[in-house]
Amino acid sequence: MIRAFALTLSLLLGLSGQLHATEYKIDTAGAHAFIQFKIKHLGYSWLYGRFDEFSGRFNYDADKPEASSVNVEINTASLNSNHAERDKHLRSEDFLYVDEFPKATFKSKRIEVDDEGEADIVGDLTLRGVTREVTLEAEMIGHGKDPWGGYRMGFEAEAELRLKDFGIPMDLGPASDTVEIIISVEGVRQ
């Protein structure tokens, strides 16, 4: 699943003087970051959605990628599945219960890079008041100078979450008990 991480990692190691332990702010203002999800609707089709409001930072250490870190905060009420009535239901007590739990957070605890150069970002996800350790399978997309004089780095990550693990009471059947999260972020070096 993680295709170019090993090649990119080796390139970055050659640039370690430039990138050593660098902080990046996730570019949500420029709409270069997305947190999306998909879940099977009763097992018949895929339902897609996203969170429109979130913020975060990541630190990347090219010399020691396992020492890098990620922190993200999501406004759960910003859920958007392109259908107002469905969004109202997804924000309710049946699902995210945003009145009681307006924020979700992810804080990395460790990053594991294996011999093939694949990276797992292991961290605590707090959603609906429940904190669980989850693993994001990550891939570096690229990095470099931007046209405005800054420096950017982008990643994509995926995870699969069981709804019941986070106290979500709604049961749509066994085909719909997990949700796939797809995170694509571009960070601007600070």
Side-chain angles (χ1 to χ4, degrees):
M1 181 177 287
I2 302 171
R3 300 175 289 274
F5 194 81
L7 175 62
T8 306
L9 183 59
S10 65
L11 289 171
L12 284 173
L13 290 174
L15 297 172
S16 62
Q18 295 177 359
L19 298 176
H20 180 71
T22 305
E23 183 179 42
Y24 291 81
K25 181 179 178 188
I26 295 174
D27 185 10
T28 54
H32 294 111
F34 304 90
I35 298 177
Q36 302 172 315
F37 63 87
K38 73 177 191 176
I39 187 169
K40 286 187 180 173
H41 183 254
L42 306 174
Y44 306 131
S45 64
W46 287 104
L47 173 102
Y48 290 84
R50 67 182 186 266
F51 291 95
D52 290 334
E53 296 175 17
F54 61 95
S55 62
R57 294 179 178 271
F58 61 88
N59 286 297
Y60 184 78
D61 187 334
D63 288 333
K64 195 174 179 186
E66 64 275 9
S68 301
S69 64
V70 179
N71 287 297
V72 176
E73 183 176 282
I74 302 166
N75 174 355
T76 56
S78 73
L79 175 135
N80 183 346
S81 71
N82 202 32
H83 187 276
E85 285 303 309
R86 177 176 49 229
D87 292 349
K88 183 178 176 183
H89 188 210
L90 292 173
R91 291 180 186 123
S92 78
E93 293 178 33
D94 288 344
F95 289 97
L96 295 179
Y97 199 4
V98 302
D99 289 341
E100 185 71 22
F101 307 103
K103 300 290 180 198
T105 60
F106 177 82
K107 294 183 182 191
S108 65
K109 299 193 304 190
R110 68 185 178 279
I111 297 182
E112 302 168 354
V113 181
D114 67 19
D115 292 338
E116 285 99 41
E118 296 178 346
D120 289 335
I121 302 171
V122 180
D124 287 331
L125 174 65
T126 301
L127 177 66
R128 206 176 191 275
V130 176
T131 301
R132 296 256 185 207
E133 184 176 277
V134 300
T135 300
L136 302 176
E137 296 178 355
E139 170 188 2
M140 182 181 292
I141 305 301
H143 64 92
K145 293 180 181 178
D146 65 26
W148 308 281
Y151 196 91
R152 294 172 180 259
M153 181 176 285
F155 290 89
E156 187 165 274
E158 298 177 357
E160 188 171 287
L161 310 175
R162 287 177 25 95
L163 300 181
K164 297 291 184 206
D165 288 348
F166 291 92
I168 295 173
M170 190 69 181
D171 186 358
L172 298 172
S176 304
D177 65 355
T178 60
V179 61
E180 293 179 40
I181 306 295
I182 304 102
I183 302 163
S184 182
V185 296
E186 188 173 295
V188 179
R189 185 167 61 191
Q190 299 300 289

